[in-house]
PDB file of all heavy atoms in Angstrom:
ATOM      1  N   ILE A 189      21.008  19.353   3.785  1.00  0.00           N
ATOM      2  CA  ILE A 189      20.409  18.023   3.799  1.00  0.00           C
ATOM      3  C   ILE A 189      20.167  17.589   2.361  1.00  0.00           C
ATOM      4  O   ILE A 189      19.476  18.271   1.601  1.00  0.00           O
ATOM      5  CB  ILE A 189      19.110  18.026   4.615  1.00  0.00           C
ATOM      6  CG1 ILE A 189      19.417  18.468   6.048  1.00  0.00           C
ATOM      7  CG2 ILE A 189      18.470  16.645   4.611  1.00  0.00           C
ATOM      8  CD1 ILE A 189      18.212  18.886   6.847  1.00  0.00           C
ATOM      9  N   THR A 190      20.757  16.464   1.989  1.00  0.00           N
ATOM     10  CA  THR A 190      20.685  15.993   0.609  1.00  0.00           C
ATOM     11  C   THR A 190      19.490  15.064   0.406  1.00  0.00           C
ATOM     12  O   THR A 190      18.784  14.703   1.353  1.00  0.00           O
ATOM     13  CB  THR A 190      21.971  15.246   0.225  1.00  0.00           C
ATOM     14  OG1 THR A 190      21.934  13.925   0.784  1.00  0.00           O
ATOM     15  CG2 THR A 190      23.210  15.983   0.700  1.00  0.00           C
ATOM     16  N   ASN A 191      19.299  14.647  -0.840  1.00  0.00           N
ATOM     17  CA  ASN A 191      18.245  13.673  -1.143  1.00  0.00           C
ATOM     18  C   ASN A 191      18.795  12.247  -1.228  1.00  0.00           C
ATOM     19  O   ASN A 191      18.151  11.366  -1.800  1.00  0.00           O
ATOM     20  CB  ASN A 191      17.529  14.045  -2.440  1.00  0.00           C
ATOM     21  CG  ASN A 191      18.447  13.979  -3.656  1.00  0.00           C
ATOM     22  OD1 ASN A 191      19.670  14.011  -3.541  1.00  0.00           O
ATOM     23  ND2 ASN A 191      17.850  13.906  -4.831  1.00  0.00           N
ATOM     24  N   ILE A 192      19.975  12.018  -0.649  1.00  0.00           N
ATOM     25  CA  ILE A 192      20.575  10.682  -0.614  1.00  0.00           C
ATOM     26  C   ILE A 192      20.228  10.043   0.726  1.00  0.00           C
ATOM     27  O   ILE A 192      20.578  10.574   1.783  1.00  0.00           O
ATOM     28  CB  ILE A 192      22.096  10.752  -0.818  1.00  0.00           C
ATOM     29  CG1 ILE A 192      22.398  11.353  -2.197  1.00  0.00           C
ATOM     30  CG2 ILE A 192      22.729   9.371  -0.671  1.00  0.00           C
ATOM     31  CD1 ILE A 192      23.862  11.612  -2.469  1.00  0.00           C
ATOM     32  N   PRO A 193      19.514   8.908   0.710  1.00  0.00           N
ATOM     33  CA  PRO A 193      19.020   8.332   1.968  1.00  0.00           C
ATOM     34  C   PRO A 193      20.077   7.529   2.713  1.00  0.00           C
ATOM     35  O   PRO A 193      21.103   7.112   2.149  1.00  0.00           O
ATOM     36  CB  PRO A 193      17.894   7.407   1.490  1.00  0.00           C
ATOM     37  CG  PRO A 193      18.334   6.968   0.132  1.00  0.00           C
ATOM     38  CD  PRO A 193      19.048   8.163  -0.463  1.00  0.00           C
ATOM     39  N   GLU A 194      19.803   7.316   3.980  1.00  0.00           N
ATOM     40  CA  GLU A 194      20.702   6.525   4.824  1.00  0.00           C
ATOM     41  C   GLU A 194      20.968   5.153   4.232  1.00  0.00           C
ATOM     42  O   GLU A 194      22.089   4.632   4.323  1.00  0.00           O
ATOM     43  CB  GLU A 194      20.083   6.372   6.217  1.00  0.00           C
ATOM     44  CG  GLU A 194      20.895   5.534   7.182  1.00  0.00           C
ATOM     45  CD  GLU A 194      20.243   5.406   8.535  1.00  0.00           C
ATOM     46  OE1 GLU A 194      19.005   5.584   8.619  1.00  0.00           O
ATOM     47  OE2 GLU A 194      20.969   5.137   9.506  1.00  0.00           O
ATOM     48  N   SER A 195      19.950   4.562   3.602  1.00  0.00           N
ATOM     49  CA  SER A 195      20.106   3.206   3.065  1.00  0.00           C
ATOM     50  C   SER A 195      21.216   3.115   2.024  1.00  0.00           C
ATOM     51  O   SER A 195      21.762   2.035   1.792  1.00  0.00           O
ATOM     52  CB  SER A 195      18.784   2.737   2.443  1.00  0.00           C
ATOM     53  OG  SER A 195      18.368   3.604   1.407  1.00  0.00           O
ATOM     54  N   ALA A 196      21.579   4.233   1.390  1.00  0.00           N
ATOM     55  CA  ALA A 196      22.611   4.220   0.354  1.00  0.00           C
ATOM     56  C   ALA A 196      24.020   4.163   0.920  1.00  0.00           C
ATOM     57  O   ALA A 196      24.959   3.800   0.203  1.00  0.00           O
ATOM     58  CB  ALA A 196      22.467   5.456  -0.525  1.00  0.00           C
ATOM     59  N   VAL A 197      24.183   4.513   2.209  1.00  0.00           N
ATOM     60  CA  VAL A 197      25.529   4.570   2.787  1.00  0.00           C
ATOM     61  C   VAL A 197      25.683   3.725   4.046  1.00  0.00           C
ATOM     62  O   VAL A 197      26.779   3.654   4.605  1.00  0.00           O
ATOM     63  CB  VAL A 197      25.933   6.032   3.112  1.00  0.00           C
ATOM     64  CG1 VAL A 197      25.957   6.871   1.846  1.00  0.00           C
ATOM     65  CG2 VAL A 197      24.993   6.653   4.148  1.00  0.00           C
ATOM     66  N   ILE A 198      24.593   3.104   4.486  1.00  0.00           N
ATOM     67  CA  ILE A 198      24.651   2.369   5.753  1.00  0.00           C
ATOM     68  C   ILE A 198      25.713   1.267   5.692  1.00  0.00           C
ATOM     69  O   ILE A 198      25.857   0.572   4.688  1.00  0.00           O
ATOM     70  CB  ILE A 198      23.262   1.792   6.098  1.00  0.00           C
ATOM     71  CG1 ILE A 198      23.218   1.324   7.548  1.00  0.00           C
ATOM     72  CG2 ILE A 198      22.848   0.708   5.134  1.00  0.00           C
ATOM     73  CD1 ILE A 198      21.811   1.037   8.056  1.00  0.00           C
ATOM     74  N   GLU A 199      26.485   1.173   6.767  1.00  0.00           N
ATOM     75  CA  GLU A 199      27.562   0.196   6.922  1.00  0.00           C
ATOM     76  C   GLU A 199      28.640   0.344   5.848  1.00  0.00           C
ATOM     77  O   GLU A 199      29.357  -0.609   5.530  1.00  0.00           O
ATOM     78  CB  GLU A 199      27.002  -1.236   6.924  1.00  0.00           C
ATOM     79  CG  GLU A 199      26.064  -1.497   8.095  1.00  0.00           C
ATOM     80  CD  GLU A 199      25.542  -2.915   8.130  1.00  0.00           C
ATOM     81  OE1 GLU A 199      25.821  -3.678   7.179  1.00  0.00           O
ATOM     82  OE2 GLU A 199      24.857  -3.256   9.106  1.00  0.00           O
ATOM     83  N   GLN A 200      28.784   1.542   5.306  1.00  0.00           N
ATOM     84  CA  GLN A 200      29.806   1.835   4.306  1.00  0.00           C
ATOM     85  C   GLN A 200      30.757   2.906   4.847  1.00  0.00           C
ATOM     86  O   GLN A 200      30.406   3.667   5.757  1.00  0.00           O
ATOM     87  CB  GLN A 200      29.162   2.364   3.022  1.00  0.00           C
ATOM     88  CG  GLN A 200      28.148   1.443   2.391  1.00  0.00           C
ATOM     89  CD  GLN A 200      28.772   0.391   1.506  1.00  0.00           C
ATOM     90  OE1 GLN A 200      29.957   0.459   1.177  1.00  0.00           O
ATOM     91  NE2 GLN A 200      27.999  -0.600   1.113  1.00  0.00           N
ATOM     92  N   VAL A 201      31.946   2.947   4.283  1.00  0.00           N
ATOM     93  CA  VAL A 201      32.842   4.093   4.470  1.00  0.00           C
ATOM     94  C   VAL A 201      32.570   5.014   3.290  1.00  0.00           C
ATOM     95  O   VAL A 201      32.622   4.581   2.134  1.00  0.00           O
ATOM     96  CB  VAL A 201      34.311   3.667   4.510  1.00  0.00           C
ATOM     97  CG1 VAL A 201      35.216   4.887   4.660  1.00  0.00           C
ATOM     98  CG2 VAL A 201      34.538   2.676   5.653  1.00  0.00           C
ATOM     99  N   TRP A 202      32.276   6.257   3.557  1.00  0.00           N
ATOM    100  CA  TRP A 202      31.825   7.133   2.479  1.00  0.00           C
ATOM    101  C   TRP A 202      32.248   8.572   2.742  1.00  0.00           C
ATOM    102  O   TRP A 202      32.612   8.946   3.858  1.00  0.00           O
ATOM    103  CB  TRP A 202      30.306   7.068   2.312  1.00  0.00           C
ATOM    104  CG  TRP A 202      29.528   7.384   3.571  1.00  0.00           C
ATOM    105  CD1 TRP A 202      29.267   6.544   4.615  1.00  0.00           C
ATOM    106  CD2 TRP A 202      28.924   8.636   3.920  1.00  0.00           C
ATOM    107  NE1 TRP A 202      28.547   7.185   5.596  1.00  0.00           N
ATOM    108  CE2 TRP A 202      28.311   8.464   5.192  1.00  0.00           C
ATOM    109  CE3 TRP A 202      28.840   9.876   3.286  1.00  0.00           C
ATOM    110  CZ2 TRP A 202      27.623   9.491   5.824  1.00  0.00           C
ATOM    111  CZ3 TRP A 202      28.146  10.900   3.921  1.00  0.00           C
ATOM    112  CH2 TRP A 202      27.553  10.703   5.173  1.00  0.00           C
ATOM    113  N   ALA A 203      32.198   9.354   1.672  1.00  0.00           N
ATOM    114  CA  ALA A 203      32.516  10.784   1.765  1.00  0.00           C
ATOM    115  C   ALA A 203      31.628  11.545   0.796  1.00  0.00           C
ATOM    116  O   ALA A 203      31.261  11.034  -0.268  1.00  0.00           O
ATOM    117  CB  ALA A 203      33.979  11.037   1.435  1.00  0.00           C
ATOM    118  N   VAL A 204      31.283  12.765   1.183  1.00  0.00           N
ATOM    119  CA  VAL A 204      30.606  13.688   0.274  1.00  0.00           C
ATOM    120  C   VAL A 204      31.686  14.460  -0.479  1.00  0.00           C
ATOM    121  O   VAL A 204      32.634  14.980   0.132  1.00  0.00           O
ATOM    122  CB  VAL A 204      29.681  14.652   1.036  1.00  0.00           C
ATOM    123  CG1 VAL A 204      29.111  15.714   0.092  1.00  0.00           C
ATOM    124  CG2 VAL A 204      28.541  13.877   1.701  1.00  0.00           C
ATOM    125  N   VAL A 205      31.558  14.536  -1.789  1.00  0.00           N
ATOM    126  CA  VAL A 205      32.526  15.232  -2.633  1.00  0.00           C
ATOM    127  C   VAL A 205      31.883  16.512  -3.154  1.00  0.00           C
ATOM    128  O   VAL A 205      30.850  16.465  -3.831  1.00  0.00           O
ATOM    129  CB  VAL A 205      32.981  14.350  -3.807  1.00  0.00           C
ATOM    130  CG1 VAL A 205      34.019  15.084  -4.646  1.00  0.00           C
ATOM    131  CG2 VAL A 205      33.526  13.025  -3.293  1.00  0.00           C
ATOM    132  N   ILE A 206      32.491  17.638  -2.833  1.00  0.00           N
ATOM    133  CA  ILE A 206      32.025  18.939  -3.323  1.00  0.00           C
ATOM    134  C   ILE A 206      33.235  19.644  -3.915  1.00  0.00           C
ATOM    135  O   ILE A 206      34.147  20.052  -3.192  1.00  0.00           O
ATOM    136  CB  ILE A 206      31.382  19.767  -2.198  1.00  0.00           C
ATOM    137  CG1 ILE A 206      30.155  19.033  -1.652  1.00  0.00           C
ATOM    138  CG2 ILE A 206      31.002  21.151  -2.699  1.00  0.00           C
ATOM    139  CD1 ILE A 206      29.511  19.695  -0.461  1.00  0.00           C
ATOM    140  N   GLY A 207      33.245  19.755  -5.244  1.00  0.00           N
ATOM    141  CA  GLY A 207      34.413  20.320  -5.909  1.00  0.00           C
ATOM    142  C   GLY A 207      35.624  19.439  -5.672  1.00  0.00           C
ATOM    143  O   GLY A 207      35.604  18.239  -5.931  1.00  0.00           O
ATOM    144  N   GLU A 208      36.692  20.031  -5.141  1.00  0.00           N
ATOM    145  CA  GLU A 208      37.911  19.285  -4.836  1.00  0.00           C
ATOM    146  C   GLU A 208      37.944  18.783  -3.400  1.00  0.00           C
ATOM    147  O   GLU A 208      38.917  18.167  -2.969  1.00  0.00           O
ATOM    148  CB  GLU A 208      39.138  20.181  -5.089  1.00  0.00           C
ATOM    149  CG  GLU A 208      39.251  20.696  -6.514  1.00  0.00           C
ATOM    150  CD  GLU A 208      39.425  19.571  -7.514  1.00  0.00           C
ATOM    151  OE1 GLU A 208      40.176  18.612  -7.206  1.00  0.00           O
ATOM    152  OE2 GLU A 208      38.794  19.643  -8.597  1.00  0.00           O
ATOM    153  N   THR A 209      36.877  19.029  -2.660  1.00  0.00           N
ATOM    154  CA  THR A 209      36.860  18.699  -1.231  1.00  0.00           C
ATOM    155  C   THR A 209      36.119  17.395  -0.986  1.00  0.00           C
ATOM    156  O   THR A 209      35.009  17.194  -1.490  1.00  0.00           O
ATOM    157  CB  THR A 209      36.169  19.824  -0.434  1.00  0.00           C
ATOM    158  OG1 THR A 209      36.853  21.057  -0.666  1.00  0.00           O
ATOM    159  CG2 THR A 209      36.172  19.515   1.056  1.00  0.00           C
TER     160      THR A 209
END
Side-chain angles (χ1 to χ4, degrees):
I189 301 164
T190 78
N191 64 340
I192 298 174
E194 178 180 23
S195 59
V197 299
I198 194 167
E199 297 182 354
Q200 302 276 348
V201 178
W202 56 279
V204 173
V205 182
I206 298 175
E208 301 297 320
T209 302

